[in-house]
Amino acid sequence: QVQLVESGGGLVQPGGSLRLSCAASGFTLDYYAIGWFRQAPGKEREGVSCISSSDGSTYYADSVKGRFTISRDNAKNTVYLQMNSLKPEDTAVYYCATPRVCGYYSGTYYYTEGDYWGQGTQVTVSS
């Protein structure tokens, strides 16, 4: 079966770092663009980053650009999200998914909903 499993979330102080992992099974991740999304309590889900399936290009929402880095390891069928300089407003449940479209449109991060989703991993940034 097709599955995406997120891991690596936890509690961290402001300014700290976390590394999230998205492990795929049931399909080859190399053939899909993979995006990271997040949803905080009382807020709508938002896309934060994605990596393309073709040339490995990376894209970021303005809110995380310069702090987060997305990467993929095709041999491990895994995508990572390195999160540095974390802020309380980064607190959310983070999901990985397969958006049909993601990238920059007129300089702004643009994406569509994913077809496959993981169960999410909680990231809490608090002092």
Side-chain angles (χ1 to χ4, degrees):
Q1 61 184 32
V2 175
Q3 281 192 322
L4 293 169
V5 180
E6 303 93 336
S7 62
L11 175 64
V12 65
Q13 293 184 338
S17 299
L18 285 173
R19 186 195 190 205
L20 306 184
S21 297
C22 173
S25 62
F27 67 101
T28 301
L29 201 57
D30 187 38
Y31 296 128
Y32 294 84
I34 301 297
W36 285 97
F37 299 75
R38 67 186 183 187
Q39 186 167 26
K43 298 182 179 180
E44 295 184 350
R45 186 169 60 201
E46 62 175 340
V48 298
S49 182
C50 72
I51 185 167
S52 72
S53 62
S54 54
D55 60 359
S57 297
T58 57
Y59 308 92
Y60 303 91
D62 288 342
S63 59
V64 306
K65 193 171 186 178
R67 300 188 297 120
F68 291 9
T69 302
I70 190 171
S71 62
R72 70 193 307 156
D73 187 336
N74 291 333
K76 296 182 178 180
N77 216 28
T78 300
V79 171
Y80 305 96
L81 184 68
Q82 178 66 46
M83 305 185 296
N84 299 326
S85 302
L86 284 164
K87 305 174 181 179
E89 50 263 45
D90 294 318
T91 296
V93 177
Y94 283 71
Y95 303 88
C96 62
T98 56
R100 297 187 179 186
V101 175
C102 70
Y104 291 136
Y105 181 76
S106 297
T108 301
Y109 183 56
Y110 177 83
Y111 59 91
T112 59
E113 286 292 330
D115 291 328
Y116 302 118
W117 292 83
Q119 83 291 342
T121 185
Q122 176 70 50
V123 172
T124 302
V125 185
S126 176
S127 60

